Amino acid sequence: LASHNPALVYVALTGYGQHGPYRDMAGHDINYLAMAGVLDLIGPAGGAPVIPGVQIADLAAGSMRAVAGVLGALLERTRTGKGQLVDISMMHGSAMLLPLALAQLSDGAPPRRGCATLSGRYACYRIYEAGDGRYLAVGALEPRFWAVLCQALDCEEFIADQFADDPRRSQIILHLEAVFRRRSAADWFHQLRRLDACVTPIRTLEEAAADLGLVEPALEGPKLGEHTRQVLTEAGYPDTDAVLADSGLPR
């Protein structure tokens, strides 16, 4: 087709790419993440890898990259008049989600599951259980956020030790775990949401969907023949009754 239409933009979206030793392997999201090294980084320290609750390889590393590639190809076509192939591998796209981890690897310090700065190693970027059994996400990564959080929790003595290693690191985590269990997740959010502390409740899908307006009212499907007259009229048949009588279609 491209030989007949040089302006054609077309897409190949595959699991492992069109070339290489894995090109003919079957796979799903979990496999692409596993082969890219992503799955090994998800989960608690000392525990097993955890399957994400959303399809990262399919969506972020696959379809979204395909859309970005098509947009880039269309822009290039407006400049040159030439189309191109957008070739997307979900495994390779997953690996491209690892810039920080790959940078650590290049520095000779490969990241370990649950032991990196952004995977719960330190108290400032971690998940905590509240007093009602719900959970809080704390993302006070920058020193100014961490300072605000420590002040709000009456533990200013931890400000200077944000990235301290053990035993101080574990002491801070244990203290914050105990503090957050004193109140419900909703209470903590009410207290901290107006501060630059980066603390939010971990909401259920139902809660998030309702708040973000993602829930649409359920619509009934059309009944058999409900739109037949409308379709026939729009198609240019003036006598819909005669057409329906001859066809045996529902009226």
Side-chain angles (χ1 to χ4, degrees), residues 6-212:
L8 183 66
V9 172
Y10 56 111
V11 181
L13 178 57
T14 61
Y16 301 105
Q18 298 191 75
H19 309 284
Y22 314 123
R23 56 164 291 172
D24 294 324
M25 285 178 20
H28 272 295
D29 189 271
I30 186 174
N31 306 114
Y32 311 139
L33 294 177
M35 292 292 285
V38 174
L39 204 59
D40 186 56
L41 298 179
I42 302 176
V50 174
I51 300 175
V54 297
Q55 289 66 56
I56 298 174
D58 290 346
L59 302 177
S63 59
M64 290 183 184
R65 288 183 67 238
V67 170
V70 168
L71 293 175
L74 292 175
L75 179 61
E76 179 67 13
R77 188 174 69 180
T78 63
R79 297 172 177 169
T80 66
K82 295 181 179 179
Q84 56 186 289
L85 164 65
V86 177
D87 193 2
I88 303 297
S89 155
M90 286 181 272
M91 177 183 70
H92 291 87
S94 298
M96 292 178 66
L97 300 174
L98 299 172
L100 294 179
L102 292 172
Q104 289 181 264
L105 184 63
S106 299
D107 290 338
R112 296 289 179 256
R113 185 165 50 255
C115 297
T117 302
L118 299 182
S119 63
R121 175 175 178 79
Y122 298 105
C124 62
Y125 201 91
R126 197 173 173 88
I127 292 173
Y128 294 91
E129 184 177 3
D132 58 349
R134 300 292 298 270
Y135 291 89
L136 295 162
V138 173
L141 185 63
E142 286 73 21
R144 65 189 181 94
F145 295 149
W146 174 242
V148 169
L149 178 61
C150 289
Q151 291 163 2
L153 301 182
D154 295 323
C155 53
E156 291 91 342
E157 67 273 19
F158 295 153
I159 293 176
D161 296 330
Q162 180 178 3
F163 297 111
D165 282 323
D166 281 332
R168 187 60 166 165
R169 178 181 69 91
S170 295
Q171 292 171 351
I172 297 174
I173 290 174
L174 288 173
H175 182 86
L176 262 63
E177 286 177 342
V179 170
F180 281 122
R181 281 196 292 265
R182 295 173 187 169
R183 302 172 63 179
S184 70
D187 285 344
W188 282 118
F189 188 46
H190 178 74
Q191 175 183 341
L192 300 173
R193 63 180 298 179
R194 291 176 177 81
L195 304 177
D196 286 339
C198 301
V199 177
T200 56
I202 296 181
R203 301 195 292 193
T204 65
L205 178 61
E206 293 86 350
E207 291 168 340
D211 182 43
L212 300 177

